[in-house]
Amino acid sequence: MSTRESVQIPDDRDFNNFRTECNSDQGWSQTYNKSGVVVWIQILEVERSLHKIKCRMECKDIAAETLYDVLHDIEYRKKWDTNVIETFDIGKLTVNSDVGYYAWKCPKPLKNRDVITLRSWLPMGADYIIMNYSVKHPKYPPRKDMVRAVSIQTGYLIQGRGVKSCSITYLAQVDPKGSLPKWVVNKSSQFLAPKAMKKMYKACLKYPDWKQKHNPHFKPWLFPEQSTLPAVALSELSIQHADSLENIDESSLSETKDDRGEGSDEDSVN
């Protein structure tokens, strides 16, 4: 899907290819394996530290359906995802695809990044897939206070393991635009990705109670007739090519002590 030249909504073949890559070992180097979380990376361009990352977590006591809801629920994400700066849905394309904006905090002293993505989702038996890639939308050009990154392909594969158990695989190939220092890849694969997975796991445990108090029947990802998003035409969108965005060189930046409490697991879900 990384060679697409026009904006297209993924079809069954694309979802199957994504699942195959999530389950494949070929070409991946394991960098982390602890407490039910495993991380692999593939280095694509050594000079720019461009890489793919894959992270898998076994989720005991969490149903696949709950994890699927947590990944979709944008209001809940604002509660538990402490990396998010801003996120919102722009509009819907079909019953199982939309366009959205996501901005996130990068490890200091790097500049923060944002993306506009076309997101699609599909239940496949006991499994669920959510995946996205970057697009351009005329109303949301790159911002001066952010670096516009490019999601070549990013997504989640949730695999049901019975009534109250599942696994999740996160697979991402993102061009962060610019040359990153080597420590970023190490920190991402050995600290940030596992931490994000564990935070997601805790959020899943608390989601049923939270959802009961916050519009419990509103799940437009399951019931598309509930969606109040404006329709977006494919013709409004274009492919976000990485080479059309400004490159910044952050390769010489040194890691700084983060003041966001990386070591703490503060709970922000109420």
Side-chain angles (χ1 to χ4, degrees):
M1 289 185 66
S2 59
T3 58
R4 63 174 74 77
E5 289 302 320
S6 61
V7 176
Q8 296 169 350
I9 294 166
D11 57 21
D12 287 351
R13 184 179 57 182
D14 295 319
F15 282 104
N16 280 318
N17 287 344
F18 180 79
R19 178 159 62 178
T20 298
E21 184 162 14
C22 283
N23 289 326
S24 171
D25 295 327
Q26 193 170 356
W28 293 94
S29 301
Q30 188 180 115
T31 60
Y32 182 96
N33 187 350
K34 200 162 80 173
S35 305
V37 178
V38 188
V39 183
W40 302 262
I41 61 168
Q42 267 187 36
I43 299 295
L44 303 174
E45 286 185 35
V46 174
E47 299 77 19
R48 293 178 52 219
S49 298
L50 191 63
H51 65 289
K52 287 185 185 180
I53 187 166
K54 182 163 64 172
C55 189
R56 183 174 299 137
M57 176 173 62
E58 297 298 324
C59 301
K60 293 171 183 168
D61 305 318
I62 294 171
E65 295 85 353
T66 300
L67 186 39
Y68 187 59
D69 287 349
V70 166
L71 291 173
H72 270 291
D73 197 322
I74 198 166
E75 293 308 315
Y76 190 57
R77 179 172 283 275
K78 294 170 185 175
K79 294 283 185 185
W80 67 267
D81 184 354
T82 51
N83 286 322
V84 68
I85 297 171
E86 185 179 8
T87 184
F88 54 85
D89 296 325
I90 294 170
K92 64 181 175 183
L93 291 159
T94 67
V95 293
N96 70 323
S97 63
D98 62 18
V99 180
Y101 175 85
Y102 182 79
W104 71 95
K105 300 169 188 169
C106 287
K108 292 185 177 182
L110 303 182
K111 290 186 176 180
N112 294 328
R113 262 67 175 174
D114 68 356
V115 286
I116 305 283
T117 61
L118 187 159
R119 190 178 61 139
S120 301
W121 54 93
L122 189 68
M124 302 174 76
D127 300 347
Y128 300 86
I129 290 176
I130 304 171
M131 60 187 189
N132 72 56
Y133 67 91
S134 278
V135 294
K136 284 195 281 192
H137 190 291
K139 292 181 181 173
Y140 300 94
R143 292 165 45 168
K144 287 189 170 59
D145 59 333
M146 297 273 177
V147 176
R148 178 62 48 91
V150 176
S151 167
I152 297 165
Q153 183 175 54
T154 302
Y156 299 92
L157 168 66
I158 303 166
Q159 295 176 291
R161 306 272 196 238
V163 180
K164 286 279 284 181
S165 184
C166 66
S167 73
I168 180 168
T169 303
Y170 168 73
L171 175 64
Q173 183 180 351
V174 176
D175 189 332
K177 290 314 298 173
S179 301
L180 294 177
K182 298 288 187 288
W183 61 262
V184 171
V185 178
N186 294 333
K187 186 169 186 177
S188 294
S189 63
Q190 307 211 17
F191 180 73
L192 298 178
K195 183 168 188 252
M197 283 295 207
K198 290 166 188 170
K199 193 177 287 284
M200 184 190 302
Y201 178 79
K202 288 186 176 183
C204 288
L205 292 174
K206 296 184 175 193
Y207 182 69
D209 287 343
W210 181 91
K211 188 61 176 170
Q212 278 300 315
K213 303 171 193 167
H214 299 84
N215 215 347
H217 302 296
F218 183 70
K219 295 184 178 182
W221 53 93
L222 298 179
F223 310 109
E225 67 276 6
Q226 294 179 346
S227 176
T228 57
L229 290 176
V232 175
L234 272 182
S235 58
E236 293 180 56
L237 308 173
S238 54
I239 294 293
Q240 179 65 78
H241 291 293
D243 55 12
S244 70
L245 291 166
E246 180 185 5
N247 265 315
I248 62 167
D249 186 357
E250 298 176 303
S251 58
S252 62
L253 293 177
S254 300
E255 185 175 5
T256 61
K257 180 64 180 169
D258 206 313
D259 62 5
R260 291 199 312 274
E262 289 279 25
S264 68
D265 256 320
E266 71 289 342
D267 287 324
S268 55
V269 176
N270 295 308

